[in-house]
Amino acid sequence: MAEEVAAIDPRLVHRNDEGQIEGVKYERLSAVLANAVRELSQSQQNQAEALAALQQDNAGLRAELAAMRETQVQILAALSAVSSPLSAEGLASLDNGKQ
């Protein structure tokens, strides 16, 4: 375990005269852990705020998409009403009426 701690922060382990790891400096470990917890807490808070902003943006985009779909339905209905008299049968009846 001391080797794993040394990989994170070499200042947290005891070494012998030959430089080999002998143990963990547990009295220093609590300060490092407290800082790590503080950083993780801040990171989690930042992520929560970013997520809330994204959810708000998503809701706005969904509302905009719904409005665009409604507009599309209205445009298609208007085009259908205009194109019906211009169909082949409608044009033929107009030609027959002119004669």
Side-chain angles (χ1 to χ4, degrees):
M1 182 173 146
E3 287 84 9
E4 293 174 5
V5 172
I8 295 169
D9 191 338
R11 298 172 296 172
L12 299 175
V13 295
H14 292 288
R15 295 184 182 271
N16 62 19
D17 294 337
E18 297 165 1
Q20 297 172 331
I21 297 172
E22 289 187 336
V24 176
K25 296 178 183 178
Y26 289 102
E27 68 278 3
R28 292 187 181 181
L29 200 55
S30 62
V32 171
L33 292 175
N35 286 335
V37 169
R38 188 178 314 120
E39 288 174 12
L40 287 172
S41 177
Q42 183 62 47
S43 175
Q44 188 273 335
Q45 182 179 353
N46 292 344
Q47 289 176 357
E49 291 169 1
L51 177 61
L54 288 171
Q55 288 172 332
Q56 186 175 0
D57 288 348
N58 190 27
L61 290 170
R62 286 179 181 271
E64 187 177 336
L65 178 61
M68 292 174 96
R69 285 181 175 159
E70 179 60 30
T71 300
Q72 180 186 25
V73 167
Q74 293 171 358
I75 290 171
L76 290 173
L79 285 173
S80 178
V82 169
S83 65
S84 288
L86 300 178
S87 68
E89 292 174 7
L91 290 175
S93 67
L94 288 175
D95 287 341
N96 289 338
K98 289 182 183 177
Q99 295 174 358

